[in-house]
Amino acid sequence: MASEKEVKLLDFGVSPFGVRTRIALAEKEVEYEYKEEKNLNLGEKSELLLKSNPVHKKIPVLIHHDKPICESLIIVQYIDEVFPSKTPILPSDPYARALARFWADFVDKKISQYALRVWKLKKGEELEETKKELVENLRTLEAELGEKKYFGGEDFGLVDIAFVPFTSWFYSFQAFGLLSVEDEFPKLAAWGKRCIERKSVAKSLSEPKKLYEFLSARRKVLGVE
Amino acid sequence: MASEKEVKLLDFGVSPFGVRTRIALAEKEVEYEYKEEKNLNLGEKSELLLKSNPVHKKIPVLIHHDKPICESLIIVQYIDEVFPSKTPILPSDPYARALARFWADFVDKKISQYALRVWKLKKGEELEETKKELVENLRTLEAELGEKKYFGGEDFGLVDIAFVPFTSWFYSFQAFGLLSVEDEFPKLAAWGKRCIERKSVAKSLSEPKKLYEFLSARRKVLGVE
């Protein structure tokens, strides 16, 4: 088990990308120092963040033995490789690994950007288009899940870690009148409930009502409501 | 060595993403059946492509033992894992692997989209902004290369494979009066020349003058010149 000194995580509470790295660290039972970027919301970034991720200047950053690793899916794969003793996050079969990478990448390219934007938009064409893209891509993701327990089959893994942080946002999407995942994507909703039975997920996810309060306040600042 | 029957590549000649997979297969000395998507330029896609990559409907697709793998960087990692006997494409150290993935991802997020768009734009603000982004990001990439032989150090690897296909485009960028990589980024230009000394790269890259003819014809269709 790594000591606190060895592993630090630069993060921001509600970030779904941060949640991914927290789940991976919890799956591997790694102890670490959590360093919240308190004023990220106000556009303020710590010197440590700017020094650790000079290219993108974004959280999360994992610092392991003073060396920074950036980009959440890359961090999760790093955690899997460097702490191999616990449950693997990626399967051992190369084809199954490629599929896991493909669907995690799909979440990044086709879900994240729409999910992180849809709640910020005022009524109008842009909102409708963003919602449509999000719904279509959730449909593709639900079809991929099908009747499986997790995206990779019986074992919780990379794609689950990539997507499960967004389940905290479902409550807000419904409350803002955008989308009911429960009604439209019952398999994704049921999968989300299975995931949260895992301790690693339960302790890492944003609490949906707290996230709703946070997003509501942001919507007021942005003049959406 | 894999037999022709085992490995197929669905590809399109000038695609930098296709070139990546061709280099990786050549590095591993894998024999394969090359299947050109002849009319991709006209928006026509083969049934095999639509069946093999129903999500993105894009080349390249590697088909190995009848199972499709999509997305060029994922394909390159798959090739590295499934044909481990030849020179490795990713280093064995987890931190070096994370860095390789980070910079390959940087090429995808911060170079590809601008490089693939800049030559299509008419004079104006959008062209200037696209050029500015491309130049800034090439500067970041050149700083990362520094005095190293390859991006990973002494060994040719993932980041080299991710970026080297774009070196074929440098001639066109200069001919179209957009950017002289030779003048502005001499280290990247010298690195490109080192890469092309490798047989795997030399035989996979688009020939710059042929690419120029192809792009010129496209520019005429698009009304850029």
Side-chain angles (χ1 to χ4, degrees):
Chain A
M1 194 177 288
S3 84
E4 278 199 27
K5 222 177 147 186
E6 282 172 5
V7 183
K8 290 189 185 86
L9 182 67
L10 313 189
D11 201 352
F12 184 65
V14 298
S15 165
F17 307 110
V19 171
R20 290 173 173 174
T21 61
R22 279 174 254 161
I23 294 172
L25 288 166
E27 282 286 328
K28 299 290 186 171
E29 298 177 23
V30 177
E31 284 182 31
Y32 60 99
E33 185 184 347
Y34 182 87
K35 293 177 86 75
E36 176 84 359
E37 283 288 312
K38 288 195 188 76
N39 297 323
L40 200 61
N41 218 20
L42 307 169
E44 289 171 26
K45 297 176 182 186
S46 73
E47 273 188 44
L48 184 59
L49 174 58
L50 296 174
K51 197 187 99 186
S52 306
N53 190 357
V55 173
H56 300 303
K57 303 178 180 69
K58 283 182 183 167
I59 58 93
V61 179
L62 187 80
I63 303 180
H64 187 207
H65 292 300
D66 295 321
K67 289 188 284 190
I69 300 107
C70 305
E71 297 294 280
S72 64
L73 292 179
I74 294 172
I75 296 172
V76 171
Q77 289 182 74
Y78 175 81
I79 290 168
D80 196 34
E81 290 178 1
V82 92
F83 303 108
S85 58
K86 300 283 166 184
T87 337
I89 291 171
L90 272 99
S92 57
D93 172 64
Y95 186 69
R97 292 165 73 84
L99 283 184
R101 288 187 180 124
F102 176 85
W103 286 105
D105 179 70
F106 177 85
V107 172
D108 265 8
K109 284 183 182 148
K110 297 287 188 180
I111 308 266
S112 303
Q113 56 165 318
Y114 303 108
L116 296 179
R117 215 156 64 92
V118 72
W119 60 274
K120 287 183 191 170
L121 298 169
K122 292 180 194 171
K123 276 183 186 162
E125 203 179 320
E126 200 187 344
L127 173 61
E128 291 313 311
E129 273 173 21
T130 305
K131 221 159 69 178
K132 196 179 145 213
E133 281 285 347
L134 180 60
V135 166
E136 271 176 23
N137 297 335
L138 286 172
R139 187 164 296 125
T140 302
L141 198 65
E142 183 166 86
E144 168 58 19
L145 177 65
E147 303 303 326
K148 288 178 288 186
K149 183 175 178 189
Y150 297 117
F151 279 93
E154 283 306 301
D155 297 318
F156 181 79
L158 184 69
V159 188
D160 306 297
I161 292 176
F163 184 53
V164 77
F166 293 96
T167 59
S168 305
W169 298 58
F170 294 169
Y171 176 85
S172 295
F173 289 166
Q174 182 143 21
F176 297 145
L178 296 166
L179 165 71
S180 168
V181 174
E182 191 89 30
D183 294 341
E184 293 197 45
F185 302 105
K187 285 178 194 168
L188 289 181
W191 160 86
K193 283 173 193 152
R194 282 197 294 282
C195 287
I196 211 167
E197 286 167 16
R198 294 181 83 85
K199 230 195 305 180
S200 68
V201 176
K203 76 179 208 185
S204 305
L205 283 192
S206 300
E207 206 282 299
K209 288 183 187 171
K210 276 195 186 153
L211 182 60
Y212 169 74
E213 282 167 28
F214 176 85
L215 298 178
S216 292
R218 293 286 297 153
R219 275 162 70 94
K220 280 197 185 105
V221 171
L222 296 166
V224 180
E225 57 181 37
Chain B
M1 194 177 288
S3 84
E4 278 200 26
K5 221 177 148 186
E6 282 172 4
V7 183
K8 290 189 185 87
L9 182 67
L10 314 189
D11 201 351
F12 184 65
V14 297
S15 165
F17 307 110
V19 171
R20 290 173 174 175
T21 61
R22 279 174 254 159
I23 294 172
L25 289 165
E27 282 286 327
K28 300 289 188 174
E29 296 176 25
V30 177
E31 283 182 32
Y32 60 98
E33 184 184 348
Y34 183 87
K35 292 178 86 76
E36 176 83 359
E37 282 288 312
K38 287 194 188 76
N39 297 323
L40 201 60
N41 218 21
L42 307 169
E44 289 172 26
K45 298 176 181 186
S46 73
E47 274 188 43
L48 184 59
L49 174 58
L50 296 174
K51 196 187 101 190
S52 307
N53 189 357
V55 173
H56 299 303
K57 304 178 180 69
K58 284 181 183 169
I59 58 93
V61 179
L62 188 80
I63 302 179
H64 187 206
H65 292 299
D66 294 321
K67 289 188 285 189
I69 301 108
C70 305
E71 297 293 279
S72 63
L73 292 179
I74 294 171
I75 295 172
V76 171
Q77 290 182 73
Y78 175 81
I79 290 169
D80 196 34
E81 291 177 1
V82 92
F83 303 108
S85 59
K86 300 284 167 185
T87 338
I89 292 172
L90 272 98
S92 57
D93 171 65
Y95 187 69
R97 292 164 76 84
L99 283 184
R101 288 187 179 123
F102 176 85
W103 286 105
D105 179 70
F106 177 86
V107 172
D108 265 8
K109 285 184 181 148
K110 298 288 187 178
I111 308 268
S112 304
Q113 56 166 317
Y114 302 109
L116 296 179
R117 215 155 63 93
V118 72
W119 61 274
K120 287 182 190 170
L121 298 169
K122 290 179 196 173
K123 275 185 187 161
E125 205 179 322
E126 199 186 345
L127 173 61
E128 290 312 311
E129 273 171 23
T130 305
K131 223 161 64 178
K132 195 179 147 214
E133 281 284 349
L134 180 60
V135 166
E136 272 174 22
N137 298 335
L138 286 172
R139 187 164 298 127
T140 302
L141 198 65
E142 183 166 87
E144 168 59 20
L145 177 66
E147 303 302 326
K148 289 178 288 185
K149 183 175 178 189
Y150 297 116
F151 280 94
E154 283 304 302
D155 298 318
F156 181 80
L158 184 69
V159 187
D160 306 297
I161 292 176
F163 184 54
V164 78
F166 293 97
T167 59
S168 306
W169 297 57
F170 294 170
Y171 176 85
S172 295
F173 289 168
Q174 182 143 20
F176 297 145
L178 297 166
L179 165 71
S180 167
V181 173
E182 191 88 29
D183 294 340
E184 293 197 44
F185 302 105
K187 285 177 193 168
L188 289 180
W191 161 87
K193 282 174 195 152
R194 281 197 294 282
C195 287
I196 212 167
E197 286 167 17
R198 294 181 82 84
K199 229 194 305 181
S200 67
V201 176
K203 77 181 209 185
S204 305
L205 283 192
S206 300
E207 206 282 299
K209 288 184 186 172
K210 277 197 186 153
L211 182 60
Y212 170 74
E213 282 166 27
F214 176 85
L215 298 179
S216 294
R218 292 288 296 152
R219 275 162 70 93
K220 281 197 184 104
V221 172
L222 295 166
V224 180
E225 58 182 39

